[in-house]
Amino acid sequence: METIQQYFVQFFGTQWGSMLFSLTTNIVFILAIAVPLLLGVAYLTFAERKIIAYMQIRVGPNRVTFFGIPWLRGWGQPIADAVKAIMKEIIIPTGANKFLFILAPVLTIMPALAAWAVIPFSPELVLADINAGLLYILAMTSMGIYGIIIAGWASNSKYAFLGAMRSAAQVVSYELAMGFALVCVLMMSQSLNIGDIVSGQQGSSFLNWYLIPLFPMFLVYLISGVAETNRAPFDVAEGESEIVAGFHVDYSGMAFTVFFLAEYANMILVAALTSIMFLGGWLPPIDIMPFTLIPGFVWLLLKIAFILFFFLWFRATFPRYRYDQIMRLGWKVFIPITLIWIVVLGLIMQLPESVRSVFPLNIWF
Amino acid sequence: MLDNYFSILLFLIIGFIVGAGCMIGGWLLAPNHPDSEKLSPYECGFEAFEDARMKFDVRYYLIAILFILFDLEIAFLFPWAVVLDEIGLFGFLAMMVFLGILVVGFIYEWKKGALEWD
């Protein structure tokens, strides 16, 4: 690292050399996050089809081989899908606002990727260790709504417009429940820095994870995450039988695929956040010898995969909610529950340390 | 610290490039043979009945306004939650007064039926 920096300095001069060096290293780190993420998104679609298939007692995609390797049957499917998608015509409907129509998918995927800048994969492995990490994540997830609204409006199609309104209203409603659940996490961790939130859950075993004292908030967060990403059973916005495909009904080819990528990237992001806030991030479940040898990011990835499996499982299990039921769940169930939980948690924190330590709700404070 | 925000800016730019690159890739590789039927907005096979710039339910406005209020509430709760251990009982009670006022508003809108979708 040092020698490369010196080489840069020698080549470009002192001022430009160090600047270009930090630029290059940053870009390399960002690509090291973004490229595996996009591959993960591609293979999440494959995993979804496979897992749901096995849940429905069939095999799922198993024809497209991966470079002809026979025991990887089906693993070429995401690549084949990507090639197919990029070869398809992008239709821009008459009456659409061309600029916004093209911009909307880009606006959706940009925050979905950029939110990963602050996700810590292990104590040192974080691109941007900022103190306002959680606020940044909330800001990025809110940015995605612009893509939805702009896409629905710019298509100049009734279904797209109604789908966009529905999607946006649903996403903002569940963002409130998510935000309140995160306030509870903050009360426990006393820090907005995501690394500190994970470190706050450090202890001898998984009993220290915020999952245990904040279990209702974990459920609220997980379900809100499903609703926020417009996944089944909360996918009325794209209910095929009701309003065709929601805000992206007029998108085709690569423009549609970018929305699709963004949706799955958001899914992985929500799973990562759930793992970080409630499941101890990079921490092993029990802090003893064989588990501590495994590097932190492996634990984080395992937890993300676990939560993602839940997402797919929900989709295979539950029938779709009606829109009014979704809004009722968000506003009349989750927001009151989280508000009450904030008050209860605040009250517990007012108790003196000696009383707190025997209080059944949080013996681990 | 500012260095970290520079990485975030770079990540945003790269995210934009990924999205734009995909779109440009599609534009370069995909065929493009538009005709008027293909470019008409999708309405389940029928001709579009009327313009899509139409009236829509006022409840979406209500949800948006309520979202602004409650998001502001979260914005006030965040700093409070981070320093709750230091501000003690007084800080806790002050926030309870604030939450109480907002809960009165929440109950009002609930009873008024602003959260109903029927």
Side-chain angles (χ1 to χ4, degrees):
Chain A
M1 216 56 165
E2 298 283 289
T3 49
I4 300 171
Q5 186 166 13
Q6 277 164 16
Y7 181 77
F8 264 83
V9 169
Q10 270 172 22
F11 199 83
F12 295 104
T14 322
Q15 197 190 348
W16 285 98
S18 51
M19 257 171 72
L20 279 173
F21 175 73
S22 83
L23 188 73
T24 321
T25 45
N26 266 316
I27 288 175
V28 169
F29 288 145
I30 289 168
L31 290 180
I33 297 173
V35 172
L37 176 65
L38 288 170
L39 277 178
V41 165
Y43 276 89
L44 179 59
T45 63
F46 177 63
E48 171 167 41
R49 295 170 68 178
K50 268 295 198 197
I51 288 170
I52 290 178
Y54 281 119
M55 284 179 178
Q56 295 167 346
I57 322 187
R58 53 193 178 89
V59 265
N62 66 342
R63 296 285 160 177
V64 188
T65 56
F66 191 73
F67 297 112
I69 304 168
W71 46 272
L72 282 180
R73 278 216 189 92
W75 284 76
Q77 189 70 47
I79 301 166
D81 285 341
V83 172
K84 182 198 75 176
I86 208 163
M87 305 294 275
K88 284 198 148 193
E89 183 171 359
I90 299 175
I91 295 166
I92 301 176
T94 45
N97 183 325
K98 277 211 179 62
F99 174 68
L100 289 179
F101 190 83
I102 300 286
L103 184 70
V106 183
L107 271 189
T108 325
I109 197 159
M110 187 174 74
L113 293 181
W116 282 83
V118 295
I119 301 284
F121 295 92
S122 71
E124 313 80 40
L125 264 168
V126 50
L127 178 71
D129 188 19
I130 58 173
N131 280 336
L134 206 56
L135 272 179
Y136 170 75
I137 294 261
L138 277 180
M140 283 299 120
T141 49
S142 305
M143 288 264 288
I145 300 167
Y146 284 111
I148 293 174
I149 285 274
I150 290 174
W153 187 83
S155 305
N156 199 8
S157 155
K158 262 167 271 177
Y159 288 108
F161 181 65
L162 288 174
M165 298 304 286
R166 279 186 176 204
S167 262
Q170 178 183 333
V171 170
V172 296
S173 301
Y174 278 90
E175 210 165 83
L176 290 179
M178 252 178 166
F180 282 125
L182 290 185
V183 168
C184 290
V185 174
L186 285 183
M187 288 163 80
M188 301 280 289
S189 71
Q190 306 282 315
S191 171
L192 273 167
N193 184 307
I194 295 183
D196 289 351
I197 291 174
V198 178
S199 309
Q201 302 174 58
Q202 192 120 37
S204 54
S205 73
F206 63 89
L207 290 175
N208 283 63
W209 296 355
Y210 294 154
L211 173 73
I212 309 286
L214 297 179
F215 187 68
M217 293 301 102
F218 167 72
L219 291 182
V220 166
Y221 190 84
L222 189 63
I223 297 169
S224 304
V226 178
E228 167 120 347
T229 47
N230 280 320
R231 295 276 310 168
F234 301 101
D235 60 343
V236 282
E238 49 199 75
E240 299 90 338
S241 49
E242 297 157 24
I243 53 165
V244 286
F247 60 89
H248 50 56
V249 60
D250 277 314
Y251 281 87
S252 63
M254 212 54 201
F256 168 75
T257 311
V258 174
F259 274 122
F260 196 70
L261 290 179
E263 183 187 325
Y264 280 77
N266 269 326
M267 240 170 99
I268 301 181
L269 180 70
V270 168
L273 286 176
T274 316
S275 325
I276 283 168
M277 309 296 171
F278 297 100
L279 299 180
W282 66 72
L283 302 170
I286 300 169
D287 211 10
I288 52 171
M289 196 46 185
F291 294 115
T292 46
L293 287 179
I294 299 170
F297 68 91
V298 174
W299 285 117
L300 182 65
L301 292 182
L302 278 176
K303 287 164 188 172
I304 292 175
F306 180 70
I307 300 284
L308 283 175
F309 179 72
F310 267 90
F311 275 47
L312 307 183
W313 194 1
F314 288 157
R315 174 163 172 194
T317 310
F318 295 117
R320 186 177 290 143
Y321 265 72
R322 240 175 29 228
Y323 193 69
D324 61 320
Q325 293 170 328
I326 291 181
M327 296 310 262
R328 190 176 65 213
L329 183 70
W331 285 94
K332 295 189 173 175
V333 180
F334 281 174
I335 290 180
I337 286 179
T338 45
L339 279 175
I340 290 168
W341 204 256
I342 288 173
V343 176
V344 170
L345 198 63
L347 271 176
I348 293 170
M349 289 182 72
Q350 297 312 313
L351 299 173
E353 203 72 37
S354 51
V355 187
R356 248 199 244 174
S357 57
V358 292
F359 201 85
L361 254 175
N362 52 343
I363 37 175
W364 35 81
F365 245 162
Chain B
M1 188 47 83
L2 263 181
D3 245 17
N4 286 325
Y5 283 101
F6 177 67
S7 335
I8 285 176
L9 178 69
L10 267 183
F11 211 136
L12 273 168
I13 293 169
I14 287 183
F16 187 87
I17 291 171
V18 168
C22 283
M23 301 291 280
I24 291 169
W27 179 65
L28 287 177
L29 290 173
N32 189 17
H33 310 293
D35 63 59
S36 65
E37 282 299 304
K38 198 191 266 175
L39 296 186
S40 62
Y42 174 70
E43 219 160 281
C44 300
F46 295 104
E47 297 284 325
F49 285 117
E50 54 184 350
D51 195 55
R53 307 277 177 258
M54 55 184 184
K55 286 184 205 160
F56 63 94
D57 204 327
V58 71
R59 272 178 295 216
Y60 292 114
Y61 276 122
L62 264 180
I63 291 293
I65 289 170
L66 294 178
F67 168 72
I68 292 174
L69 287 179
F70 277 86
D71 219 32
L72 208 63
E73 186 179 346
I74 292 175
F76 281 114
L77 276 170
F78 265 34
W80 170 79
V82 171
V83 294
L84 187 57
D85 255 3
E86 291 153 44
I87 55 180
L89 190 63
F90 181 73
F92 172 71
L93 289 177
M95 185 47 87
M96 286 308 110
V97 173
F98 177 71
L99 273 186
I101 293 169
L102 272 158
V103 165
V104 170
F106 187 58
I107 292 169
Y108 175 75
E109 85 207 18
W110 190 323
K111 290 291 166 206
K112 267 283 182 191
L115 305 176
E116 306 290 336
W117 291 77
D118 47 12

